[in-house]
Amino acid sequence: LQTRLQAGQGYGNTLSCALTVYRHESVAGFFKGMSFPLASIAVYSSVVFGVFSNTQRLLSHFRHGDPAQAPVLADVALASIVAGFISVGIGTPVDLVKIRLQMQTQPYIEANIKLKPTVSGFPVYRGPIHCFRTVLQKEGIAGIYRGVGAMLLRDVPGYCLYFIPYTFFCSWLNPDGCISPSPSSIWLAGGAAGAISWVTATPMDVVKSRLQADGVNLNKYKGTLDCILQSYRNEGLKVFFRGVTVNAVRGFPTSSAMFLGYELSLKAMKRDQNETNP
């Protein structure tokens, strides 16, 4: 729904988009392009959280001489920025394949023909591997990383507004410190941080989605700035908040699960390490 609302035309609000997708593509339409993200999400999340955690430990080591020292706000912000940069290298090709598969049967604007919310034409790509290979052959590495500028502008500040609120909410929910927060605190803090991050990242998420969907049938945008200007000129400021409801709703449970898994895994590994080395 998020991709259709942001990069498609004629869907109206979230409910209208859901009904249109179901009417024309049945339940399968809601799961288009999901195989590639599902196959890569474990690696992606491991790298992002690993980079964030290890950068924090490294900064604490240099600042305090103790990697286990609780990080200050500046350390959390810097670790978030590093994690954001690294995430773009992995996430851009994955998002591009997902969006191309989701948008390939969508109608498009040519000249001044008005877009209608009907599925037309035949699929351009047979699956995620075929999509990746086709884009690589026709557009090269630049094609695989199409939208990388918009993704950097989304993920670098987005991860700052992901990890910093999480740290703050953990401290608030656990006045004695966030060294070992309870599962309920992790769930609430992670969910709130995810919702904040995704809502604030929505404008650049719209731009990224449009850039990556561009090229299935024609090329409309020359780059990030051109996409911003064209979108604003044609649809006004409200276009940059398309899909904000979907982002907010999905941001809470996904981030809750992500942080809970992360914190519980750390606790389990520390416990095993202590048992092995008493």
Side-chain angles (χ1 to χ4, degrees):
L1 296 181
Q2 171 212 10
T3 301
R4 303 292 180 95
L5 286 167
Q6 292 178 343
Q9 295 285 336
Y11 287 110
N13 57 30
T14 304
L15 179 60
S16 172
C17 179
L19 293 174
T20 301
V21 171
Y22 179 75
R23 189 179 303 117
H24 292 289
E25 302 171 59
S26 74
V27 176
F30 296 104
F31 296 92
K32 277 188 175 180
M34 289 307 298
S35 57
F36 207 32
L38 281 174
S40 59
I41 186 64
V43 174
Y44 177 82
S45 299
S46 297
V47 170
V48 169
F49 278 84
V51 168
F52 172 75
S53 179
N54 285 304
T55 302
Q56 273 194 330
R57 288 174 60 84
L58 186 63
L59 291 170
S60 293
H61 174 72
F62 283 124
R63 186 185 295 272
H64 307 289
D66 181 9
Q69 178 74 28
V72 297
L73 181 61
D75 293 347
V76 177
L78 185 55
S80 302
I81 291 170
V82 174
F85 271 101
I86 298 299
S87 73
V88 171
I90 303 171
T92 302
V94 173
D95 271 17
L96 180 120
V97 170
K98 180 193 72 171
I99 288 173
R100 290 288 178 94
L101 290 172
Q102 290 173 342
M103 297 299 295
Q104 64 175 329
T105 55
Q106 299 304 291
Y108 60 95
I109 294 176
E110 188 172 7
N112 291 319
I113 299 173
K114 188 176 180 181
L115 206 63
K116 295 182 180 180
T118 56
V119 177
S120 62
F122 296 96
V124 180
Y125 310 113
R126 295 191 295 270
I129 302 301
H130 179 252
C131 176
F132 185 89
R133 189 171 62 244
T134 301
V135 174
L136 188 61
Q137 288 173 348
K138 291 184 176 181
E139 305 174 47
I141 296 295
I144 292 295
Y145 279 91
R146 184 173 179 82
V148 67
M151 198 158 182
L152 275 169
L153 293 172
R154 184 197 75 170
D155 282 7
V156 172
Y159 274 113
C160 286
L161 292 171
Y162 189 60
F163 289 114
I164 292 174
Y166 172 73
T167 304
F168 169 78
F169 287 129
C170 270
S171 299
W172 181 60
L173 292 168
N174 296 270
D176 57 337
C178 194
I179 302 300
S180 183
S182 65
S184 60
S185 298
I186 296 169
W187 188 84
L188 287 171
I196 291 170
S197 177
W198 271 110
V199 167
T200 53
T202 296
M204 289 315 302
D205 193 41
V206 171
V207 175
K208 180 201 71 73
S209 295
R210 291 186 163 212
L211 284 168
Q212 292 184 326
D214 195 33
V216 176
N217 294 305
L218 79 167
N219 291 306
K220 286 179 58 182
Y221 308 116
K222 298 175 183 177
T224 302
L225 182 59
D226 183 53
C227 179
I228 293 171
L229 293 175
Q230 282 199 49
S231 298
Y232 176 74
R233 192 181 303 120
N234 294 331
E235 301 170 68
L237 191 62
K238 65 181 180 180
V239 69
F240 299 109
F241 295 94
R242 280 190 177 184
V244 67
T245 303
V246 176
N247 278 343
V249 169
R250 79 164 186 173
F252 194 100
T254 55
S255 297
S256 293
M258 199 79 72
F259 275 108
L260 191 59
Y262 168 70
E263 294 286 4
L264 292 180
S265 297
L266 283 182
K267 286 182 181 180
M269 287 185 285
K270 287 178 181 177
R271 184 172 58 250
D272 290 342
Q273 187 176 20
N274 292 334
E275 291 175 356
T276 306
N277 301 304

